[in-house]
Amino acid sequence: MNNARSTLSTLSIAAGIVILMLVTRGSHVLTSVSLPDASLALFLLGGLYLQRVRWFVALLALAAVIDFGAAELNSFYAFCLTPGYWGMIPTYAVMWLGGRWLASRDDACALLPYAVIGIITTAVAFIISTQTYYLYSGRFPDEGAIEALRHGWEYLPGYLGYTMMYLAAQWVAVRSLRGAGVIASPMIATRVIASNKSSAF
């Protein structure tokens, strides 16, 4: 019975992450409202609650389908679909691993480690994604690694701000549910996390 509940909880969390990715990452073509992309936050939360490699691969595939689908509908969105796009794999892996580290703690949503991990992983993800784009997109053929490091920093505030906004919303939701007695344990979805720890895949 507990396994059935854990499976249902896992699928519910996965469905929520998928929906949020669709309406934020695909907001330019799937909805009439343009929402900030929540992908970085969602990969961190995926690492926290889903953990297994197969979920990471599934979400990575979904992100790619959204991006390439958007490019098919509007060529404007194909601008970033270059060889540098492969940098999205380590970018999202950093967020996922940050979530997995939080899951190893007694209280995954303790404010200080939750905020610090959110900031650090987002900053590292930003550096990876921007530098792989500038180095491997083919749009800046005359620039090496040192020159590439000079570019893209103007996007960091938005990159970090929107990600932390979504992570803060999740943190507030968890704290509110605890305060209302809906979540008794300091570890939200304890059964889900425990069951997903049983297998890396």
Side-chain angles (χ1 to χ4, degrees):
M1 189 69 175
N2 284 338
N3 286 338
R5 287 200 198 96
S6 294
T7 299
L8 181 60
S9 296
T10 298
L11 292 176
S12 298
I13 291 170
I17 289 175
V18 166
I19 291 170
L20 285 172
M21 186 175 287
L22 285 171
V23 299
T24 61
R25 192 183 189 94
S27 64
H28 296 291
V29 293
L30 295 177
T31 69
S32 59
V33 179
S34 181
L35 300 171
D37 187 359
S39 296
L40 289 174
L42 294 176
F43 272 93
L44 187 144
L45 296 177
L48 171 57
Y49 295 123
L50 304 178
Q51 297 198 12
R52 297 183 181 181
V53 174
R54 64 191 181 200
W55 284 114
F56 174 74
V57 173
L59 290 178
L60 198 63
L62 174 63
V65 168
I66 292 171
D67 291 345
F68 282 89
E72 281 295 315
L73 294 172
N74 187 335
S75 61
F76 172 80
Y77 299 115
F79 185 80
C80 293
L81 301 182
T82 69
Y85 187 79
W86 289 101
M88 291 295 98
I89 297 176
T91 294
Y92 293 137
V94 165
M95 303 305 296
W96 195 271
L97 291 173
R100 295 221 30 184
W101 184 85
L102 287 173
S104 70
R105 300 181 56 82
D106 292 334
D107 184 355
C109 289
L111 179 57
L112 182 59
Y114 182 81
V116 169
I117 288 298
I119 292 170
I120 291 175
T121 54
T122 303
V124 173
F126 171 81
I127 293 171
I128 293 172
S129 65
T130 54
Q131 295 313 302
T132 52
Y133 174 74
Y134 281 107
L135 288 172
Y136 302 114
S137 67
R139 302 187 189 281
F140 310 92
D142 298 326
E143 295 195 352
I146 301 301
E147 291 82 2
L149 282 171
R150 297 194 305 241
H151 301 295
W153 295 102
E154 66 271 21
Y155 301 111
L156 179 58
Y159 203 91
L160 182 62
Y162 288 134
T163 300
M164 294 308 296
M165 177 187 73
Y166 285 118
L167 291 177
Q170 193 270 166
W171 186 86
V172 170
V174 170
R175 289 291 174 173
S176 298
L177 290 171
R178 286 185 194 175
V182 177
I183 300 173
S185 169
M187 176 72 83
I188 182 174
T190 303
R191 289 193 299 272
V192 175
I193 293 174
S195 66
N196 286 332
K197 279 181 179 178
S198 65
S199 171
F201 295 94

